[in-house]
Amino acid sequence: MTDVTTGSNPAVSAPIEPSLHRVMGPWLLLLFIVGDILGTGIYALTGQVAKQVGGVVWLPFLVAFIVAVITAMSYLELVTKYPKAAGAALYTHKAFGIHFITFIVAFTVMCSGITSASTASRAFAANLSGAFQLNLETGIGITLVALAFMAVVAIVNFRGVGESVKANVVLTVVELTGLLIIIFIGLFAIVAGQGDVSRITQFATAPDSSIFWSVMAATTLAFFAMVGFEDSVNMAEECQNPSKIFPKVLLIGLFITGAIYVLVSISAITLVSPAELGEGETPLLKVVQAGAPNFPLWIFGFITMFAVANSALINMLMASRLVYGMSREHVLPPLLGKVHASRRTPYIAIGFTTLLAFALISFVGEVPALGGTTALLLLFVFTIVNIAVLILRREKVDHEHFRTPTILPVLGCISCAFFAGPWTGRDPVQYKIAGVLIGVGVVLWIITVLVNRATGVTPDEPDMEALGGDGPVN
């Protein structure tokens, strides 16, 4: 990347960087994808979805899965056409070539990571209270625990964390174990004649809402459970023959997680009524209590806490590194790009993203608002990506790659834009949260532009090292 502060000649060739080691076969890639998607969404929001639609709680998850698959087809074309570690911001820049649009997409991805981590923090605190019967549901107890947890995440982030695919496999097994427990508890209850299977076909909507719009509103929440599939594009460069195996494995991973979500939803609503499931922030703990009262509740609580804690840490790592990268790209103030002398971590960026998370946890609080905002931000990003696919059709590459049918990016753009709109019954507070977060970014961008003009600095073309390809994970 050109040194923009010294004006070095861009014509001078940079040293050729070694390519990433292609270590991931199809099975390891599948575990990585499933692990990225499973997590906070299904653990925390099942009850809120049930509150919107009643017993057909599985339906919004199914609709969210279909929308995710359509958008995933666009990501598949991009990642096999450009099999490098990249993400939405760089695809956007490749398609449009406008620095401000690239910045907005990158900052939106960063914000979605913070709202996702804040959701996970609330879920962690609620499950800690429920599993160990701390009775923190009233007052500010949950908020204080969530803030303390986020502070611990910031400390770990500051000290530096090395991520690996092997660690992801372990975490995936933990998350999957918790959901399989729910599925098996529901299955045994149904076989034993317990619960009420008839609930799975019963709608329970608000008096002033139709079935269709209730499902749409619930889908805006359920979509949060599908977060993570877009992050897997980062592994393409480390995949064996990515253009051939990546599409098949990503789609299999999506179908596996979609099936798990539907089965978990059916088990939950069979054992717990929609009204009860929608109370509080620990819906799956209630399912364990109802279906297996002798099962040690603290074990399931620990699994849930472990799953959402991992999501919070990974998302805050992504957010702070993305802020650091944007600062190094001269689209955010240079202060945010400072690195700690001994820890070698972007401590100012970590502090900035942690303060945003503290504000969200303190002043927004509720899991549905935070999770819904995450989905809203990503639906905006996915709309742009679906458009970018069509624009980049003009650019040819010298290798074979996956090409999605043209109708799918069109449907993906329309469906993502539709679910981002207020007509779905989305809680207006989500637009306020998203607006404030993006507004902070725009103000910082304007300040940076003015500083750049005063100092004669011109932002260079964005690269992977600076912007990163990471998106939020579940």
Side-chain angles (χ1 to χ4, degrees):
M1 182 174 129
T2 303
D3 185 346
V4 294
T5 57
T6 59
S8 54
N9 187 355
V12 177
S13 298
I16 298 176
E17 293 291 333
S19 61
L20 296 176
H21 187 36
R22 298 189 181 277
V23 297
M24 295 189 72
W27 290 107
L28 196 56
L29 177 62
L30 180 61
L31 278 171
F32 183 89
I33 291 169
V34 171
D36 266 5
I37 301 174
L38 295 180
T40 306
I42 189 69
Y43 277 104
L45 290 176
T46 306
Q48 298 302 318
V49 173
K51 184 184 290 187
Q52 296 270 7
V53 295
V56 290
V57 61
W58 52 272
L59 184 56
F61 286 105
L62 182 60
V63 176
F65 160 76
I66 293 171
V67 175
V69 168
I70 293 173
T71 299
M73 299 293 275
S74 293
Y75 272 94
L76 284 176
E77 178 166 335
L78 292 169
V79 74
T80 55
K81 190 175 183 178
Y82 310 107
K84 298 286 184 181
L90 294 183
Y91 294 143
T92 299
H93 193 78
K94 200 168 187 65
F96 299 100
I98 301 174
H99 282 276
F100 180 70
I101 295 178
T102 305
F103 164 75
I104 286 295
V105 171
F107 198 83
T108 301
V109 171
M110 184 278 295
C111 290
S112 70
I114 295 177
T115 54
S116 180
S118 300
T119 308
S121 298
R122 291 281 307 189
F124 177 91
N127 279 278
L128 175 68
S129 174
F132 298 98
Q133 299 180 346
L134 301 180
N135 298 318
L136 298 176
E137 285 80 2
T138 58
I140 61 172
I142 294 292
T143 299
L144 292 177
V145 172
L147 289 171
F149 170 75
M150 185 57 70
V152 172
V153 168
I155 292 170
V156 174
N157 196 349
F158 171 71
R159 289 186 58 82
V161 175
E163 296 179 61
S164 71
V165 174
K166 291 182 180 179
N168 182 270
V169 170
V170 174
L171 298 172
T172 298
V173 170
V174 172
E175 293 167 349
L176 184 57
T177 299
L179 298 178
L180 289 178
I181 288 173
I182 295 295
I183 292 172
F184 283 123
I185 286 175
L187 177 62
F188 286 132
I190 292 171
V191 171
Q194 300 173 356
D196 185 356
V197 183
S198 66
R199 290 190 190 129
I200 66 174
T201 59
Q202 297 173 358
F203 285 92
T205 62
D208 58 344
S209 179
S210 67
I211 291 175
F212 176 81
W213 288 112
S214 293
V215 172
M216 295 302 100
T219 302
T220 63
L221 284 176
F223 194 81
F224 176 55
M226 298 307 300
V227 169
F229 74 87
E230 79 289 346
D231 185 66
S232 61
V233 300
N234 298 303
M235 305 310 298
E237 199 175 353
E238 296 175 72
C239 245
Q240 298 166 5
N241 196 2
S243 295
K244 182 178 180 181
I245 73 167
F246 198 89
K248 186 186 304 182
V249 174
L250 177 58
L251 291 176
I252 291 173
L254 278 166
F255 274 93
I256 288 174
T257 52
I260 289 172
Y261 285 169
V262 168
L263 291 173
V264 167
S265 301
I266 291 174
S267 294
I269 207 64
T270 297
L271 293 169
V272 183
S273 68
E276 187 181 352
L277 200 63
E279 294 177 356
E281 299 176 354
T282 58
L284 298 190
L285 280 180
K286 295 176 182 177
V287 177
V288 175
Q289 286 177 310
N294 295 324
F295 188 91
L297 199 60
W298 67 269
I299 293 179
F300 188 83
F302 182 79
I303 291 173
T304 304
M305 289 158 54
F306 194 82
V308 300
N310 174 56
S311 299
L313 177 59
I314 293 176
N315 283 318
M316 291 305 289
L317 279 166
M318 176 275 290
S320 60
R321 270 53 176 183
L322 199 44
V323 167
Y324 163 79
M326 286 187 281
S327 174
R328 303 290 287 185
E329 286 288 317
H330 300 273
V331 292
L332 282 180
L335 178 66
L336 293 170
K338 288 187 175 295
V339 176
H340 193 269
S342 59
R343 301 308 312 177
R344 308 300 296 170
T345 50
Y347 67 105
I348 302 295
I350 291 170
F352 173 72
T353 52
T354 301
L355 285 176
L356 287 179
F358 279 172
L360 289 171
I361 293 169
S362 300
F363 299 110
V364 178
E366 297 300 319
V367 164
L370 293 170
T373 304
T374 303
L376 172 63
L377 293 167
L378 287 177
L379 285 166
F380 165 76
V381 172
F382 292 163
T383 301
I384 300 297
V385 169
N386 279 301
I387 295 172
V389 172
L390 299 173
I391 293 175
L392 290 171
R393 288 275 172 89
R394 298 174 299 188
E395 183 173 305
K396 306 299 180 183
V397 294
D398 59 2
H399 66 272
E400 292 186 4
H401 62 85
F402 178 86
R403 182 183 171 100
T404 185
T406 302
I407 187 62
L408 291 184
V410 174
L411 289 176
C413 175
I414 293 172
S415 61
C416 289
F418 172 80
F419 280 108
W423 43 79
T424 58
R426 183 183 293 278
D427 189 340
V429 73
Q430 296 172 21
Y431 295 102
K432 295 178 182 178
I433 299 167
V436 169
L437 290 171
I438 301 303
V440 169
V442 171
V443 169
L444 291 174
W445 182 81
I446 292 172
I447 293 172
T448 307
V449 168
L450 295 176
V451 171
N452 288 344
R453 287 178 180 174
T455 56
V457 172
T458 302
D460 201 356
E461 290 300 298
D463 63 14
M464 175 61 204
E465 183 180 354
L467 285 187
D470 291 347
V473 301
N474 218 321

